Amino acid sequence: NKNIVVGDKIYITDESGTKVTYIVYSIVTTSPEDSSYFERDTNGAREITLDTCTDDTQSRLLILAKEE
């Protein structure tokens, strides 16, 4: 689905079959050179970041999600 919004769920299943649910809490467009999100403080919470280019390939699109 190309229309991810804040509040959507992302499911990841590990090799043992355990499914972890993450909730999208932020969608950010930034410059391709911005890597500040690599070292953000999550206060010990498990989070994931999906990183891709915008449709015009001029910016970076970040989808941040935290474990439900």
Side-chain angles (χ1 to χ4, degrees):
N1 183 352
K2 197 172 180 180
N3 301 311
I4 293 176
V5 297
V6 170
D8 280 355
K9 293 182 179 182
I10 299 170
Y11 303 98
I12 297 178
T13 303
D14 67 18
E15 291 178 351
S16 68
T18 302
K19 183 165 81 171
V20 180
T21 303
Y22 293 88
I23 304 292
V24 175
Y25 70 86
S26 184
I27 299 171
V28 180
T29 301
T30 188
S31 72
E33 297 80 22
D34 183 3
S35 62
S36 63
Y37 70 96
F38 287 159
E39 296 184 26
R40 70 182 185 277
D41 183 4
T42 65
N43 292 318
R46 292 197 316 181
E47 293 192 7
I48 59 171
T49 302
L50 305 176
D51 176 359
T52 190
C53 296
T54 55
D55 288 341
D56 64 6
T57 69
Q58 300 302 308
S59 299
R60 175 178 283 167
L61 179 66
L62 305 175
I63 299 167
L64 292 87
K66 59 186 173 184
E67 186 176 12
E68 182 177 49

